[in-house]
Amino acid sequence: MSRSTPLRGVHESLGATLTDFAGWQMPLRYGSESAEHNAVRTAAGLFDLSHMGEIFVVGPQAGEALDHALVGHLSVLAPGRARYTMIVNETGGILDDLIVYRLDEDQYMVVANASNYALVARELAERVRGYDAQVTDRSDEYALVAVQGPRSAEILAALTDADLDELKYYAIVAGIVAGAPALIARTGYTGEDGFELFVLNEHAVPLWNALAEAGRDAGLVPAGLSARDTLRLEAGMPLYGNELSAAITPFDAGLGRVVRFDKPGDFVGKAALERAAEYGTRRRLVGLVARGRRVPRHGYSVTREGAVVGEVTSGAPSQSLGRPIAMAYVDEGALEKGGLAVDIRGSQEPVDVVDLPFYRRSK
């Protein structure tokens, strides 16, 4: 049976189309997904992300424990800052991509994807053994509401005592939002400026309603998973289960930069990732832009002269570019030769390879 977030009643009252996502009933869209997408690019969107996992690692050696458990160097992270990282298995395969926030000297919050947070919590509990640190999965206690878009700071500022001008990208601060204690993070999954607000479940509905009211005249709209997916695709951000999996290393995904071999000590998957870094990868994750109007979709074959040379991981019409876009893993040899197409129901539709991301917001 699918689970529901504390905001399900709000979504139903707004006429949202609900769908099962990673075992949760989540809003797919409230009306037009293109309108929701464009609102985030031009004004602001309001998202329910309460299906995500919040795992706390606490103790005098919490940082060192995370250095061992994850690929990043978390012990050097300053309190109040965040870092994108990954947890891998012994063969270097990605179990999940994560954002780790250092809340204070001895306390970290690991935010994991909905489909993986139970696994991540178990793995962390196992990997911190021998360190003076404790792992607590508090996912069932927390709701997560995000406001994303160029007017998000203006909207949130009216409801909080936190100094948002001083809150940098990939930083977090404790504050009061709409009368409720919250962890306020300047992070997101849309390619726009924005904030993710962690509150206890009982504060989720009042917080959502306050943000909706504060943003009404600024063009804020509720946005569902469909818009979130096209926004993150334009921003070149990977989705676990599409671009990332246990069969893929960070180097395959073009994210080798998150692996810190220079940190002290060993970490899970280090030897395998050293080999991946040394020998390179057979396929590389790239961006594709269709020359025609047909949309490359997840699972479609990438071809060259009729031979399969890759596979699309995500694809959609791009509202910002006005053309269909996709991400795909493609053989290095085929990338060097060019002349790629995507097999769309038997038709070889030509595509151009482009650097990611497809879209960058203006500063």
Side-chain angles (χ1 to χ4, degrees), residues 291-349:
R291 295 181 187 175
R293 306 307 301 175
R294 300 185 74 183
V295 180
R297 298 288 187 183
H298 172 75
Y300 286 9
S301 294
V302 180
T303 63
R304 183 179 183 276
E305 297 180 348
V308 175
V309 296
E311 184 174 310
V312 174
T313 55
S314 297
S318 169
Q319 300 295 321
S320 301
L321 276 67
R323 295 167 68 187
I325 59 173
M327 287 195 281
Y329 281 101
V330 180
D331 293 347
E332 285 283 3
L335 288 170
E336 293 171 3
K337 296 173 182 176
L340 300 184
V342 173
D343 186 338
I344 302 180
R345 299 178 183 174
S347 176
Q348 307 303 306
E349 300 290 336

Side-chain angles (χ1 to χ4, degrees), residues 142-165:
Y142 276 88
L144 175 54
V145 175
V147 55
Q148 300 278 304
R151 301 193 71 175
S152 56
E154 166 194 343
I155 293 164
L156 181 58
L159 298 173
T160 183
D161 62 346
D163 186 349
L164 301 183
D165 290 337

Side-chain angles (χ1 to χ4, degrees), residues 67-68 260-267 270:
D67 285 347
H68 170 70
R260 294 293 301 273
F261 293 121
D262 58 340
K263 62 182 175 179
D266 196 11
F267 63 90
K270 181 178 181 181

